Amino acid sequence: LVILLGETEKHLATMLQSAGEEVGEGLLPELVLALRGRAKDVYHEAASSVFSSKAQTRGKREALQVKFVALYHSFVVFRKGSALLSADAVQQVDKFLVKTVGADIVNLILADQAEVCGVPLPDGKVASSEHRDTILIALPPTAQGPLRNLTAALSGSGKSPGPDFEKALEGAAAAVGVECKQPDKNQERGLAFTIRQQWAEQLKAEDQPPIVLLLTLQLLCLHVLKLPITAPGRAAHALLEALKPSLKQEAHDSLAALIVSVQKMLSGEDAEDADEAKIEAISLMEVVRGMAVSKEGLVAACVPS
């Protein structure tokens, strides 16, 4: 430290003399101490800023990974459920999965990339394909290619929409700093339990026959197949077909009748027929709801295993 102070003192003396300033006794030590103190403060401020910035960045990456893993686990578990359906139904249900949970995953990743690249977003969320295109254009080449492939996979236009999306997601993950961690058995069970609770609560409050029908079918599939399946309404027949060997005849017939009523109700071909179908659907709705709104209802609807 003494050597450094001496060097600083010599440097200051040279600067002052070259500027024509008189160097008085005691002036240089005072200047050196003042400058050294301020330089130390500036260094600590800069170091603190750097470390704080790194900590904030690390915190954001960890938060992104937590959100990503939650959605990714849902996607993986739902895909395992859809794999238990017929081949035609798998394609239909996986396409729906890609367009719902898959879209949430893509939007989460792109919203993060928008923040990194300084692209403004309404409410900080990606809400449309236009938002996605705006972000993709602003990305560096290393991330742009994989994320374009991922966004394109949202169309679900291939013969295997689920595997196609998952492959594109794995290719994009490394480029944006997230990891596709497969859920273990305990995580799968925990996720299935949470989904069951959410669907059951929604079913209790629902008053629309098409949604009551779909929720009941999904809860029955979860009870029978031990895996959740999220499906569009038009997949009701496929879900009922998968359930058929496990359902009592009365339960099967009630579900089949509600499917027919809902289809007529939504067809829009004849207003009078649609009204009659709605009345019939409402009359069947409570019987169907009772099959899945409680554990007792689920057990009563199924043949003993």
Side-chain angles (χ1 to χ4, degrees):
L1 179 60
V2 172
I3 294 172
L4 289 173
L5 289 172
E7 291 295 325
T8 304
E9 192 170 319
K10 288 178 185 178
H11 184 63
L12 282 171
T14 303
M15 288 177 62
L16 290 170
Q17 288 168 0
S18 65
E21 297 288 342
E22 184 176 336
V23 183
E25 185 178 350
L27 174 62
L28 286 176
E30 288 182 18
L31 286 172
V32 169
L33 289 174
L35 287 172
R36 284 283 178 179
R38 178 57 187 151
K40 186 177 179 182
D41 290 342
V42 170
Y43 169 77
H44 283 304
E45 287 174 9
S48 176
S49 176
V50 169
F51 289 127
S52 175
S53 177
K54 286 184 177 180
Q56 288 178 354
T57 300
R58 185 168 60 251
K60 287 181 179 180
R61 304 321 297 170
E62 290 173 353
L64 174 65
Q65 178 67 22
V66 168
K67 293 177 182 176
F68 173 80
V69 165
L71 288 171
Y72 179 67
H73 283 184
S74 295
F75 185 86
V76 170
V77 171
F78 280 134
R79 271 209 63 219
K80 285 186 176 183
S82 67
L84 301 175
L85 303 175
S86 66
D88 290 340
V90 168
Q91 186 175 4
Q92 184 183 44
V93 172
D94 273 3
K95 186 172 183 177
F96 176 77
L97 177 60
V98 168
K99 288 183 176 292
T100 51
V101 180
D104 288 343
I105 292 173
V106 173
N107 291 344
L108 173 70
I109 291 173
L110 288 179
D112 172 74
Q113 291 298 298
E115 183 179 355
V116 171
C117 298
V119 178
L121 288 173
D123 302 322
K125 297 179 180 179
V126 181
S128 68
S129 58
E130 289 76 13
H131 290 165
R132 295 186 192 120
D133 291 340
T134 301
I135 297 165
L136 287 170
I137 292 170
L139 293 178
T142 51
Q144 191 175 105
L147 285 177
R148 281 197 181 280
N149 292 338
L150 179 60
T151 303
L154 281 179
S155 68
S157 56
K159 291 183 178 180
S160 305
D164 290 348
F165 179 82
E166 196 161 359
K167 182 178 179 181
L169 181 58
E170 290 169 357
V176 296
V178 292
E179 186 178 352
C180 295
K181 294 182 178 180
Q182 291 285 330
D184 58 31
K185 290 297 181 183
N186 287 334
Q187 289 170 325
E188 286 186 8
R189 282 194 289 266
L191 184 56
F193 177 81
T194 300
I195 291 169
R196 181 185 293 110
Q197 294 298 105
Q198 291 173 345
W199 283 349
E201 287 303 312
Q202 186 181 351
L203 179 59
K204 287 178 185 177
E206 186 55 57
D207 62 358
Q208 295 299 313
I211 302 177
V212 168
L213 171 64
L214 185 60
L215 286 170
T216 298
L217 287 168
Q218 290 180 163
L219 281 162
L220 283 165
C221 282
L222 180 50
H223 176 70
V224 170
L225 304 175
K226 309 305 180 187
L227 283 168
I229 299 171
T230 182
R234 62 182 178 275
H237 272 299
L239 297 183
L240 183 58
E241 190 62 28
L243 289 167
K244 189 174 181 179
S246 302
L247 290 177
K248 291 180 179 176
Q249 190 63 48
E250 184 180 357
H252 176 275
D253 291 347
S254 294
L255 287 162
L258 184 53
I259 289 174
V260 172
S261 296
V262 165
Q263 287 176 334
K264 289 180 180 178
M265 172 183 154
L266 299 176
S267 67
E269 294 176 1
D270 185 286
E272 188 175 341
D273 286 349
D275 289 340
E276 290 179 1
K278 184 174 182 180
I279 293 170
E280 185 179 355
I282 291 172
S283 70
L284 291 164
M285 187 170 67
E286 293 309 320
V287 173
V288 168
R289 190 201 308 270
M291 297 179 195
V293 80
S294 66
K295 185 176 181 181
E296 292 75 16
L298 289 164
V299 172
C302 297
V303 296
S305 55

